[in-house]
Amino acid sequence: MRLLLAFVLPVMMGAVGCAMQTKDRAADEPLPNHPMVRVQGIDGTFFTGELLNGSVTVDSGQGPLTLMTDHMNTIVFSNEADTVDSASVKVSGKIKEPLFQLKSEHGVFILVKERLKRIEFVRSGTSNGATSPAMASTNPNIQPAKSRQALIIP
């Protein structure tokens, strides 16, 4: 009996310890956080959801620039030049990504760049709380980022 207890007790303690370690690691890992956006298509269609693209590469006069999407305010698509606006970078050029992935309560949509007009990145908890009617979201906790003039580089 002692031999069985001597064998079972360490095994049980090890299993409990492994379960505790797994639980602690899972609690410490942050969940992926994608920026909330409102996408306008060239036909006037609007989508609201999470942009799953982590970055956007713009082929500009400075060469190819890869920008993180979680720091962007707007992306405007045009035949002449696409424009990306953030707090620290305003750049025009051609966006290399042909597809954008948008996750909403309806699933994941694959949006083709040529069929898009604008992507507005919305931030929750903006200080002024103002929204434009075109950017009004169905979720009252989501507010659009402030609009800015984009610098177009020829």
Side-chain angles (χ1 to χ4, degrees):
M1 179 70 174
R2 284 187 177 191
L3 184 60
L4 181 63
L5 187 60
F7 177 76
V8 171
L9 188 59
V11 171
M12 293 294 289
M13 294 299 286
V16 170
C18 288
M20 296 288 285
Q21 287 177 347
T22 303
K23 183 179 178 185
D24 291 341
R25 265 190 244 130
D28 292 341
E29 293 177 11
L31 295 174
N33 190 12
H34 303 288
M36 291 298 295
V37 296
R38 184 160 170 102
V39 179
Q40 181 181 4
I42 58 174
D43 63 349
T45 304
F46 282 95
F47 296 96
T48 302
E50 294 178 59
L51 184 65
L52 300 181
N53 297 58
S55 65
V56 172
T57 301
V58 182
D59 192 9
S60 69
Q62 300 297 316
L65 301 174
T66 301
L67 306 171
M68 304 303 293
T69 56
D70 56 348
H71 298 288
M72 293 181 184
N73 295 325
T74 59
I75 301 174
V76 179
F77 300 94
S78 163
N79 290 334
E80 296 81 38
D82 304 320
T83 304
V84 176
D85 179 29
S86 74
S88 61
V89 176
K90 294 170 183 52
V91 63
S92 290
K94 278 300 183 189
I95 293 178
K96 291 186 175 185
E97 282 75 17
L99 303 172
F100 289 86
Q101 296 181 13
L102 183 79
K103 180 181 176 183
S104 74
E105 68 271 11
H106 299 289
V108 176
F109 294 99
I110 306 298
L111 305 173
V112 179
K113 179 182 85 166
E114 286 80 22
R115 309 278 304 156
L116 300 178
K117 183 176 181 180
R118 180 180 190 92
I119 299 176
E120 284 278 336
F121 291 78
V122 294
R123 311 279 188 245
S124 60
T126 55
S127 58
N128 64 3
T131 61
S132 65
M135 293 302 297
S137 174
T138 56
N139 186 342
N141 297 325
I142 298 174
Q143 303 274 327
K146 293 180 182 176
S147 297
R148 295 189 177 141
Q149 292 287 18
L151 174 66
I152 298 177
I153 301 171

